[in-house]
Amino acid sequence: MMLIASGCSSDSGSDDGKDKGADASASQSASPSPTVRAAAYKKLPEPCAVLSKKTLEDLAPKAKAGKEGNSDDISTRANCSWNSLDNNGVKGSQFRWLNVSLLRFDSDTTRGPGDELAKEYYDKQVRDAQSAEGAKGTRTEPLTGTGDEAMVVRYDLKKKEGTFKQQTVVARVENVVVTLDYNGAGLAGDKTPDADDLVKDAQKAAKEAVASVTEANGAAAASGSPSTSPSTSASQSASASASKPASGKA
């Protein structure tokens, strides 16, 4: 009788171990996938169409059609520039250069939400404008009513052709950063343009460009919804600055 009782208890607990292993496996497979807040804006407007004809006539009156920059993906990066030279004969000429750059950031599960990535780039663009090589009398001031945040950086550039008045407006709306560069100079003896007037024109144009981004995305723009799969971040192709200070333009 004692031998029989001993044999019956020899395999006790073997099923218990299998159950524990199955429970651990099920727990691992049930772990939630990484999520990130979806980017609000999914596309960019046509860069050479972000400003109205009236605005272009005010800022670059003698400019021909805008020149669109090269881009490997116009849904994330785009820019357009205009050159204007108003020749006044023996009195000299008035030069204007205008450039609008657009950079959109997608949300990425490894890098973060698109609007936060755009915020980082926005801060960098402002710092770059403030530290432009050769800049004199740099001034920085916030601009209200233009996207979620905007800053104006202005300074003078002394060149052999004359004194160039540079205005850079950097604005962020959701996950898109708009950088508008605008400069002017009086050449061959013509008078230097008034910097305050140029700043007002640049601010007006920046507001218009930001509005174009919002309009391009319309009511379909989603904000705050989670994404369960990683998307390609525009920041991976944005290591170079979307725009350069106009010091090299003349």
Side-chain angles (χ1 to χ4, degrees), residues 51-59 208:
L51 301 178
S52 67
K53 182 178 179 181
K54 175 64 167 62
T55 297
L56 289 173
E57 287 176 350
D58 290 342
L59 274 67
E208 201 169 297

Side-chain angles (χ1 to χ4, degrees), residues 72-122:
D72 55 359
D73 184 0
I74 59 173
S75 71
T76 58
R77 176 192 292 272
N79 80 283
C80 190
S81 61
W82 297 262
N83 280 289
S84 173
L85 185 64
D86 188 1
N87 194 332
N88 297 311
V90 296
K91 294 182 179 179
S93 57
Q94 286 291 320
F95 172 78
R96 300 288 186 272
W97 180 73
L98 172 65
N99 184 81
V100 179
S101 296
L102 310 167
L103 192 60
R104 185 182 66 82
F105 292 82
D106 281 325
S107 293
D108 189 292
T109 52
T110 59
R111 295 179 61 84
D115 58 337
E116 292 183 10
L117 296 173
K119 167 64 175 172
E120 292 176 7
Y121 185 73
Y122 165 86

Side-chain angles (χ1 to χ4, degrees), residues 136-205:
K136 303 294 184 183
T138 302
R139 294 168 56 186
T140 304
E141 56 190 49
L143 175 61
T144 60
T146 306
D148 296 305
E149 54 187 333
M151 199 72 72
V152 181
V153 182
R154 52 193 289 193
Y155 51 83
D156 292 349
L157 288 170
K158 300 284 187 179
K159 302 171 68 175
K160 64 179 181 179
E161 298 89 354
T163 299
F164 287 72
K165 300 290 185 178
Q166 169 72 27
Q167 286 67 230
T168 298
V169 182
V170 185
R172 181 185 67 83
V173 55
E174 293 287 357
N175 55 308
V176 176
V177 176
V178 176
T179 305
L180 184 140
D181 286 299
Y182 182 50
N183 73 19
L187 307 179
D190 206 344
K191 65 180 181 179
T192 300
D194 184 83
D196 290 337
D197 290 341
L198 296 182
V199 167
K200 290 177 182 178
D201 287 339
Q203 291 173 337
K204 171 188 173 184

